[in-house]
Amino acid sequence: AIECCEAALAVDHQSTYALDAKGTVLTNGGDYSEAIACFETILKLDPKNAAALHDKEEAIKLRDQKNTSIDET
């Protein structure tokens, strides 16, 4: 799936749809920092993009939960 996102971004590096899809794939794969970067890029292009803001907040929450779990072990 990430390959499809990369291919779309190669054609249009500012595609908020492709960036959102890539961010979602990265979030689902546990790569929260890269996912957050995708959502931040969307928000630079479209500051009122509610979906990107929500997805960024979710990725941050999941990253923080993961870091808390690691700290507790």
Side-chain angles (χ1 to χ4, degrees), residues 20-39:
D20 185 65
K22 181 178 177 181
T24 300
V25 170
L26 290 166
T27 297
N28 291 339
D31 192 348
Y32 305 117
S33 295
E34 288 297 316
I36 292 165
C38 287
F39 300 131

PDB file of all heavy atoms in Angstrom, residues 20-39:
ATOM      1  N   ASP A  20      -2.553  11.630   3.040  1.00  0.00           N
ATOM      2  CA  ASP A  20      -3.415  11.065   4.083  1.00  0.00           C
ATOM      3  C   ASP A  20      -3.366   9.537   4.051  1.00  0.00           C
ATOM      4  O   ASP A  20      -3.267   8.895   5.097  1.00  0.00           O
ATOM      5  CB  ASP A  20      -4.849  11.551   3.914  1.00  0.00           C
ATOM      6  CG  ASP A  20      -5.731  11.073   5.047  1.00  0.00           C
ATOM      7  OD1 ASP A  20      -5.498  11.494   6.199  1.00  0.00           O
ATOM      8  OD2 ASP A  20      -6.642  10.265   4.789  1.00  0.00           O
ATOM      9  N   ALA A  21      -3.421   8.982   2.849  1.00  0.00           N
ATOM     10  CA  ALA A  21      -3.350   7.519   2.734  1.00  0.00           C
ATOM     11  C   ALA A  21      -2.016   7.000   3.267  1.00  0.00           C
ATOM     12  O   ALA A  21      -1.972   6.022   4.014  1.00  0.00           O
ATOM     13  CB  ALA A  21      -3.546   7.094   1.274  1.00  0.00           C
ATOM     14  N   LYS A  22      -0.921   7.689   2.913  1.00  0.00           N
ATOM     15  CA  LYS A  22       0.396   7.283   3.390  1.00  0.00           C
ATOM     16  C   LYS A  22       0.472   7.386   4.911  1.00  0.00           C
ATOM     17  O   LYS A  22       0.967   6.478   5.581  1.00  0.00           O
ATOM     18  CB  LYS A  22       1.485   8.147   2.752  1.00  0.00           C
ATOM     19  CG  LYS A  22       2.886   7.767   3.171  1.00  0.00           C
ATOM     20  CD  LYS A  22       3.934   8.631   2.471  1.00  0.00           C
ATOM     21  CE  LYS A  22       5.333   8.273   2.964  1.00  0.00           C
ATOM     22  NZ  LYS A  22       6.351   9.113   2.322  1.00  0.00           N
ATOM     23  N   GLY A  23      -0.037   8.475   5.461  1.00  0.00           N
ATOM     24  CA  GLY A  23      -0.046   8.640   6.910  1.00  0.00           C
ATOM     25  C   GLY A  23      -0.837   7.560   7.615  1.00  0.00           C
ATOM     26  O   GLY A  23      -0.432   7.045   8.661  1.00  0.00           O
ATOM     27  N   THR A  24      -1.953   7.185   7.025  1.00  0.00           N
ATOM     28  CA  THR A  24      -2.784   6.124   7.604  1.00  0.00           C
ATOM     29  C   THR A  24      -2.062   4.784   7.569  1.00  0.00           C
ATOM     30  O   THR A  24      -2.067   4.041   8.557  1.00  0.00           O
ATOM     31  CB  THR A  24      -4.128   6.039   6.870  1.00  0.00           C
ATOM     32  OG1 THR A  24      -4.804   7.308   7.012  1.00  0.00           O
ATOM     33  CG2 THR A  24      -5.007   4.936   7.420  1.00  0.00           C
ATOM     34  N   VAL A  25      -1.428   4.475   6.444  1.00  0.00           N
ATOM     35  CA  VAL A  25      -0.672   3.224   6.323  1.00  0.00           C
ATOM     36  C   VAL A  25       0.461   3.203   7.349  1.00  0.00           C
ATOM     37  O   VAL A  25       0.684   2.194   8.033  1.00  0.00           O
ATOM     38  CB  VAL A  25      -0.129   3.041   4.892  1.00  0.00           C
ATOM     39  CG1 VAL A  25       0.864   1.885   4.813  1.00  0.00           C
ATOM     40  CG2 VAL A  25      -1.267   2.830   3.905  1.00  0.00           C
ATOM     41  N   LEU A  26       1.156   4.314   7.474  1.00  0.00           N
ATOM     42  CA  LEU A  26       2.261   4.383   8.434  1.00  0.00           C
ATOM     43  C   LEU A  26       1.761   4.250   9.873  1.00  0.00           C
ATOM     44  O   LEU A  26       2.386   3.564  10.689  1.00  0.00           O
ATOM     45  CB  LEU A  26       3.026   5.695   8.253  1.00  0.00           C
ATOM     46  CG  LEU A  26       3.836   5.801   6.956  1.00  0.00           C
ATOM     47  CD1 LEU A  26       4.270   7.239   6.707  1.00  0.00           C
ATOM     48  CD2 LEU A  26       5.030   4.863   6.982  1.00  0.00           C
ATOM     49  N   THR A  27       0.636   4.884  10.178  1.00  0.00           N
ATOM     50  CA  THR A  27       0.058   4.758  11.518  1.00  0.00           C
ATOM     51  C   THR A  27      -0.286   3.302  11.801  1.00  0.00           C
ATOM     52  O   THR A  27       0.055   2.763  12.860  1.00  0.00           O
ATOM     53  CB  THR A  27      -1.203   5.633  11.670  1.00  0.00           C
ATOM     54  OG1 THR A  27      -0.838   7.005  11.507  1.00  0.00           O
ATOM     55  CG2 THR A  27      -1.848   5.453  13.035  1.00  0.00           C
ATOM     56  N   ASN A  28      -0.942   2.668  10.847  1.00  0.00           N
ATOM     57  CA  ASN A  28      -1.325   1.263  11.027  1.00  0.00           C
ATOM     58  C   ASN A  28      -0.112   0.355  11.173  1.00  0.00           C
ATOM     59  O   ASN A  28      -0.182  -0.680  11.834  1.00  0.00           O
ATOM     60  CB  ASN A  28      -2.216   0.795   9.878  1.00  0.00           C
ATOM     61  CG  ASN A  28      -3.577   1.451   9.906  1.00  0.00           C
ATOM     62  OD1 ASN A  28      -4.029   1.950  10.928  1.00  0.00           O
ATOM     63  ND2 ASN A  28      -4.250   1.469   8.762  1.00  0.00           N
ATOM     64  N   GLY A  29       1.013   0.762  10.585  1.00  0.00           N
ATOM     65  CA  GLY A  29       2.243  -0.016  10.691  1.00  0.00           C
ATOM     66  C   GLY A  29       3.087   0.339  11.903  1.00  0.00           C
ATOM     67  O   GLY A  29       4.149  -0.235  12.111  1.00  0.00           O
ATOM     68  N   GLY A  30       2.630   1.300  12.684  1.00  0.00           N
ATOM     69  CA  GLY A  30       3.356   1.670  13.894  1.00  0.00           C
ATOM     70  C   GLY A  30       4.461   2.688  13.693  1.00  0.00           C
ATOM     71  O   GLY A  30       5.226   2.971  14.616  1.00  0.00           O
ATOM     72  N   ASP A  31       4.573   3.267  12.500  1.00  0.00           N
ATOM     73  CA  ASP A  31       5.596   4.280  12.228  1.00  0.00           C
ATOM     74  C   ASP A  31       4.985   5.654  12.469  1.00  0.00           C
ATOM     75  O   ASP A  31       4.702   6.413  11.543  1.00  0.00           O
ATOM     76  CB  ASP A  31       6.116   4.142  10.805  1.00  0.00           C
ATOM     77  CG  ASP A  31       7.370   4.961  10.556  1.00  0.00           C
ATOM     78  OD1 ASP A  31       7.719   5.803  11.404  1.00  0.00           O
ATOM     79  OD2 ASP A  31       7.992   4.762   9.498  1.00  0.00           O
ATOM     80  N   TYR A  32       4.782   5.963  13.744  1.00  0.00           N
ATOM     81  CA  TYR A  32       4.020   7.148  14.125  1.00  0.00           C
ATOM     82  C   TYR A  32       4.719   8.451  13.765  1.00  0.00           C
ATOM     83  O   TYR A  32       4.061   9.406  13.343  1.00  0.00           O
ATOM     84  CB  TYR A  32       3.685   7.099  15.615  1.00  0.00           C
ATOM     85  CG  TYR A  32       2.970   5.823  15.984  1.00  0.00           C
ATOM     86  CD1 TYR A  32       3.534   4.917  16.869  1.00  0.00           C
ATOM     87  CD2 TYR A  32       1.739   5.507  15.422  1.00  0.00           C
ATOM     88  CE1 TYR A  32       2.889   3.732  17.201  1.00  0.00           C
ATOM     89  CE2 TYR A  32       1.080   4.324  15.741  1.00  0.00           C
ATOM     90  CZ  TYR A  32       1.661   3.440  16.625  1.00  0.00           C
ATOM     91  OH  TYR A  32       1.017   2.284  16.931  1.00  0.00           O
ATOM     92  N   SER A  33       6.013   8.517  13.894  1.00  0.00           N
ATOM     93  CA  SER A  33       6.729   9.761  13.583  1.00  0.00           C
ATOM     94  C   SER A  33       6.581  10.136  12.112  1.00  0.00           C
ATOM     95  O   SER A  33       6.316  11.294  11.780  1.00  0.00           O
ATOM     96  CB  SER A  33       8.207   9.635  13.948  1.00  0.00           C
ATOM     97  OG  SER A  33       8.341   9.488  15.339  1.00  0.00           O
ATOM     98  N   GLU A  34       6.738   9.166  11.241  1.00  0.00           N
ATOM     99  CA  GLU A  34       6.575   9.432   9.806  1.00  0.00           C
ATOM    100  C   GLU A  34       5.119   9.757   9.476  1.00  0.00           C
ATOM    101  O   GLU A  34       4.846  10.597   8.618  1.00  0.00           O
ATOM    102  CB  GLU A  34       7.064   8.241   8.977  1.00  0.00           C
ATOM    103  CG  GLU A  34       8.564   8.096   8.968  1.00  0.00           C
ATOM    104  CD  GLU A  34       9.267   9.288   8.321  1.00  0.00           C
ATOM    105  OE1 GLU A  34       8.828   9.763   7.255  1.00  0.00           O
ATOM    106  OE2 GLU A  34      10.266   9.749   8.891  1.00  0.00           O
ATOM    107  N   ALA A  35       4.193   9.083  10.132  1.00  0.00           N
ATOM    108  CA  ALA A  35       2.768   9.357   9.913  1.00  0.00           C
ATOM    109  C   ALA A  35       2.444  10.790  10.316  1.00  0.00           C
ATOM    110  O   ALA A  35       1.776  11.525   9.575  1.00  0.00           O
ATOM    111  CB  ALA A  35       1.905   8.376  10.696  1.00  0.00           C
ATOM    112  N   ILE A  36       2.930  11.191  11.479  1.00  0.00           N
ATOM    113  CA  ILE A  36       2.696  12.555  11.966  1.00  0.00           C
ATOM    114  C   ILE A  36       3.259  13.564  10.968  1.00  0.00           C
ATOM    115  O   ILE A  36       2.627  14.586  10.679  1.00  0.00           O
ATOM    116  CB  ILE A  36       3.286  12.727  13.378  1.00  0.00           C
ATOM    117  CG1 ILE A  36       2.485  11.876  14.375  1.00  0.00           C
ATOM    118  CG2 ILE A  36       3.302  14.195  13.790  1.00  0.00           C
ATOM    119  CD1 ILE A  36       3.165  11.668  15.718  1.00  0.00           C
ATOM    120  N   ALA A  37       4.413  13.280  10.418  1.00  0.00           N
ATOM    121  CA  ALA A  37       5.016  14.178   9.425  1.00  0.00           C
ATOM    122  C   ALA A  37       4.115  14.314   8.196  1.00  0.00           C
ATOM    123  O   ALA A  37       3.962  15.416   7.647  1.00  0.00           O
ATOM    124  CB  ALA A  37       6.397  13.670   9.028  1.00  0.00           C
ATOM    125  N   CYS A  38       3.491  13.218   7.766  1.00  0.00           N
ATOM    126  CA  CYS A  38       2.564  13.283   6.632  1.00  0.00           C
ATOM    127  C   CYS A  38       1.377  14.181   6.953  1.00  0.00           C
ATOM    128  O   CYS A  38       0.990  15.039   6.150  1.00  0.00           O
ATOM    129  CB  CYS A  38       2.054  11.888   6.269  1.00  0.00           C
ATOM    130  SG  CYS A  38       3.265  10.841   5.463  1.00  0.00           S
ATOM    131  N   PHE A  39       0.812  13.991   8.128  1.00  0.00           N
ATOM    132  CA  PHE A  39      -0.352  14.786   8.508  1.00  0.00           C
ATOM    133  C   PHE A  39       0.021  16.257   8.687  1.00  0.00           C
ATOM    134  O   PHE A  39      -0.762  17.150   8.330  1.00  0.00           O
ATOM    135  CB  PHE A  39      -1.005  14.209   9.766  1.00  0.00           C
ATOM    136  CG  PHE A  39      -1.477  12.790   9.582  1.00  0.00           C
ATOM    137  CD1 PHE A  39      -1.147  11.811  10.511  1.00  0.00           C
ATOM    138  CD2 PHE A  39      -2.229  12.413   8.491  1.00  0.00           C
ATOM    139  CE1 PHE A  39      -1.569  10.499  10.347  1.00  0.00           C
ATOM    140  CE2 PHE A  39      -2.658  11.104   8.298  1.00  0.00           C
ATOM    141  CZ  PHE A  39      -2.322  10.144   9.239  1.00  0.00           C
TER     142      PHE A  39
END
